[in-house]
Amino acid sequence: MNRKIIGTILIAILVAIGVIVFLQSPWYKSGEMTLPKGAKDGETSILEVSAQEKSDRDVKKFVLTAEEKQWQISEGEKVTAWTYNGTVPGESLRVTEGDFVQVKLKNELDVPVTIHWHGVLLPNKMDGIPGLTQDAVQPGESFTYEFIANDAGTYWYHSHQQSSIQVDKGLYGSLVIEEKEKEYERDEVFILDEWAVNQEREDLSNMGGMMMGAMSGDGEADTKQMYDTFTVNGKSGSAIDPLTMEAGEKARLRFVNAGYQVHHLVFPKGSMRVIANDAEKVASDDHESNVLEIAPGERMDVEFTKPNQETVFIGQEQNVEHAEDMIIPVVSKKNQGPYEKASLAQEAGVAKGISYGSEKRIFEKTPEPDVTYNMDLSMGMSMGEGMSFQINDQTFPDTPPIKVKEGDIVKVTLRNKGRMNHPMHLHGHRFQVNSKNGKKFEKPIVKDLIHVKPGEEYVIYFKADNMGEWLFHCHDNNHAARGMVTIVDYKEVYSPFELGGKDENQPN
Ligand code: C2O
Ligand code: CU
């Protein structure tokens, strides 16, 4: 009898403790978990949608090991990098359209990591977003990503766990999906980036500097004060590998901007023509422009024809600090250097992400949207935490999601009301950019990233045709880390993962 009473009391105490612990736990407290999670009536887990079968496709297998490495950026400059397979950028992956791609990520770092396949249209659970599409891959563990390489183009991959830190430390690489019938024999990838080598990577909580920057009218003043070295394929200045080409030879050069600053690359006059942007072919016969403007996170492919000199240069416009770090010499086989000081051509015109219409459109005419979302981008400050970057006056995960259902046509109006540039990137979809500042594009542009500068307004449309929970965020990852992230939330599905937790899931 006594035992029974004691037992009952013990159980009651245990239950009470359980309830108290639950109420105290951080993800219950303070409404931190506003992500679309938890199975509500009829919702399916994202793990169960959009499966892709390998059937009889060619399988391309890779292993990417996340590991720490002392990385030589230039003569005399070494950094402690986090790498995929020991180099910065990580191993370049090349596959052919239609391939079934299998990448095993092994984590040998002592922090959790993931891989996000930037620009690739794939099943949601392969998107690499900790806390939304998977749990971060813990030290010593592995995770296998699988997807069909459906459309040819230039892509890149990077960690999406604490991306502001991990991408900065080198966890990125290129992924090229080649066409079945290749158009160019020569085909090269260049990934641009910025590093803090000789200075501590300053933090945006440095309010004084930030305020000065914000007032200066330079939309990148914040990121410019954080980094002191520019790199091309992980190398700076004279450590950059020259490109060996003969006069008259043609090549496809693919540029990826993995950094947070816009880069303007100057080409010899008449030597280049933009052929693709964010994996979409563009229709352009502009041979006049010789400056390529590449926004953070953006990809641009050009057809390059080597002019009649032995040595020419493709390099960052020289009007910004550290520009001399970012110059690619193009040399002939028999004249490999050393060469006189690099000199860039005069500028004749700028080609950028919105300069040319795409060959294939998503919508022929301006469609009637099922969902409209106004995305106001702004800056704020909070005591003790410094700057914040907001979508509709909120910071992630409190930003209002874009709620859609499969098949919806979604219209998003992006307005930059702050003083900093915001390269906004949508996962899992491409959108069509129909107008800028109220003016329609004659030829709309299909992309997955739109660079919105202060005061600018863009109207984009996309089709909700890839069920899942997808990020839409600023690709200046330092802005994302400080709030500028939202989610395209399909009503039919939910994410079984959570932010924080034992896996320390931190997607921004
Ligand atoms: Cu490169 Cu969330 O993206
Ligand atoms: Cu931003």
Side-chain angles (χ1 to χ4, degrees):
M1 202 56 171
N2 264 349
R3 268 206 195 155
K4 216 174 179 182
I5 291 169
I6 291 169
T8 313
I9 290 171
L10 268 178
I11 286 169
I13 290 172
L14 283 174
V15 167
I17 290 173
V19 168
I20 287 164
V21 166
F22 177 63
L23 288 174
Q24 295 289 324
S25 61
W27 54 89
Y28 180 79
K29 252 180 150 171
S30 76
E32 259 168 351
M33 273 315 305
T34 52
L35 289 189
K37 68 184 295 275
K40 285 170 242 129
D41 313 320
E43 286 190 16
T44 313
S45 162
I46 58 150
L47 300 178
E48 280 153 43
V49 296
S50 324
Q52 285 182 334
E53 294 299 322
K54 87 167 155 260
S55 50
D56 57 353
R57 294 169 184 279
D58 285 347
V59 181
K60 296 276 166 69
K61 287 190 187 178
F62 303 93
V63 178
L64 291 178
T65 304
E67 57 194 347
E68 189 172 292
K69 226 17 213 237
Q70 291 304 310
W71 180 251
Q72 193 94 37
I73 281 199
S74 67
E75 214 183 308
E77 285 182 323
K78 251 192 189 172
V79 291
T80 302
W82 290 352
T83 69
Y84 292 114
N85 291 356
T87 57
V88 182
E91 186 177 334
S92 340
L93 310 183
R94 273 190 188 261
V95 301
T96 306
E97 59 185 332
D99 284 349
F100 190 80
V101 184
Q102 226 171 44
V103 183
K104 181 169 181 182
L105 162 63
K106 286 197 193 155
N107 186 6
E108 288 177 7
L109 286 169
D110 52 17
V111 293
V113 297
T114 67
I115 299 179
H116 165 62
W117 305 95
H118 182 120
V120 181
L121 307 174
L122 40 56
N124 194 215
K125 64 177 174 185
M126 294 298 151
D127 202 39
I129 311 306
L132 194 61
T133 68
Q134 69 172 102
D135 281 323
V137 181
Q138 300 302 306
E141 291 185 357
S142 62
F143 184 93
T144 300
Y145 295 91
E146 289 184 332
F147 54 89
I148 296 172
N150 264 325
D151 45 348
T154 304
Y155 301 88
W156 61 301
Y157 64 87
H158 59 79
S159 181
H160 223 296
Q161 167 75 3
Q162 290 201 311
S163 30
S164 62
I165 293 167
Q166 298 199 353
V167 177
D168 265 27
K169 295 199 80 150
L171 282 172
Y172 61 80
S174 62
L175 165 67
V176 171
I177 304 182
E178 292 178 347
E179 285 142 348
K180 283 211 176 93
E181 311 280 327
K182 280 179 66 165
E183 241 178 283
Y184 298 88
E185 271 297 301
R186 283 299 295 280
D187 187 323
E188 309 282 342
V189 186
F190 300 91
I191 309 193
L192 315 179
D193 197 9
E194 308 97 33
W195 289 73
V197 177
N198 301 306
Q199 66 186 51
E200 277 297 302
R201 177 178 172 281
E202 263 185 77
D203 182 87
L204 290 185
S205 0
N206 166 7
M207 297 272 282
M210 278 302 306
M211 284 301 293
M212 295 283 290
M215 305 318 285
S216 73
D218 177 349
E220 304 189 315
D222 56 339
T223 166
K224 280 182 183 153
Q225 65 164 7
M226 295 175 76
Y227 305 98
D228 62 9
T229 303
F230 288 174
T231 57
V232 177
N233 290 340
K235 299 282 179 184
S236 178
S238 58
I240 296 172
D241 271 346
L243 180 63
T244 303
M245 284 178 76
E246 303 311 314
E249 196 184 340
K250 267 190 190 355
R252 177 179 194 142
L253 308 184
R254 305 169 186 260
F255 294 89
V256 177
N257 188 346
Y260 309 142
Q261 294 174 30
V262 180
H263 291 289
H264 288 96
L265 293 183
V266 184
F267 287 70
K269 268 194 199 155
S271 69
M272 73 93 163
R273 175 174 71 93
V274 177
I275 53 176
N277 178 222
D278 286 357
E280 290 287 332
K281 281 192 186 164
V282 299
S284 151
D285 45 22
D286 173 11
H287 291 266
E288 233 4 80
S289 300
N290 72 330
V291 182
L292 195 63
E293 174 177 315
I294 316 167
E298 208 169 37
R299 296 95 71 203
M300 289 183 84
D301 299 15
V302 305
E303 176 192 276
F304 173 72
T305 311
K306 179 154 184 221
N308 271 330
Q309 295 104 294
E310 292 273 310
T311 306
V312 296
F313 301 94
I314 300 171
Q316 164 75 44
E317 204 175 60
Q318 294 294 297
N319 58 357
V320 293
E321 250 191 292
H322 320 301
E324 68 289 349
D325 292 353
M326 191 174 267
I327 297 179
I328 307 161
V330 188
V331 300
S332 66
K333 226 183 242 128
K334 62 171 209 289
N335 203 349
Q336 295 270 313
Y339 25 78
E340 304 274 294
K341 200 174 174 327
S343 68
L344 298 180
Q346 277 208 347
E347 298 181 18
V350 182
K352 48 185 155 187
I354 51 165
S355 295
Y356 314 107
S358 298
E359 265 186 16
K360 271 196 277 158
R361 300 189 189 171
I362 308 174
F363 307 101
E364 277 313 316
K365 292 194 297 246
T366 304
E368 215 19 79
D370 302 297
V371 174
T372 57
Y373 183 98
N374 291 324
M375 186 184 280
D376 286 352
L377 308 169
S378 64
M379 249 162 60
M381 310 233 180
S382 52
M383 283 312 284
E385 279 172 56
M387 304 296 301
S388 62
F389 291 90
Q390 305 160 334
I391 293 178
N392 297 342
D393 299 322
Q394 303 285 333
T395 55
F396 184 76
D398 298 323
T399 42
I402 304 176
K403 289 209 178 273
V404 303
K405 54 182 190 328
E406 174 135 74
D408 279 349
I409 291 170
V410 188
K411 174 187 181 186
V412 181
T413 304
L414 300 105
R415 282 192 207 95
N416 188 339
K417 300 193 156 173
R419 290 167 171 271
M420 296 293 151
N421 295 346
H422 300 302
M424 300 301 296
H425 170 53
L426 171 62
H427 289 208
H429 304 74
R430 298 219 177 113
F431 49 73
Q432 179 163 313
V433 189
N434 268 31
S435 70
K436 175 185 178 183
N437 299 341
K439 206 170 153 274
K440 267 197 187 163
F441 286 105
E442 210 179 294
K443 294 180 183 145
I445 310 113
V446 177
K447 292 171 87 352
D448 53 55
L449 184 147
I450 180 77
H451 192 213
V452 192
K453 295 177 187 169
E456 288 182 345
E457 176 190 296
Y458 287 92
V459 178
I460 63 167
Y461 291 87
F462 68 92
K463 189 138 201 245
D465 57 3
N466 194 3
M467 201 114 82
E469 303 292 343
W470 301 97
L471 290 192
F472 198 157
H473 67 93
C474 181
H475 220 289
D476 177 332
N477 289 326
N478 291 311
H479 295 179
R482 290 173 170 271
M484 197 167 270
V485 178
T486 191
I487 289 177
V488 174
D489 167 24
Y490 279 68
K491 290 173 181 151
E492 296 90 336
V493 294
Y494 73 92
S495 163
F497 303 102
E498 61 181 26
L499 296 181
K502 68 166 186 2
D503 294 309
E504 300 167 56
N505 293 326
Q506 197 182 313
N508 50 332

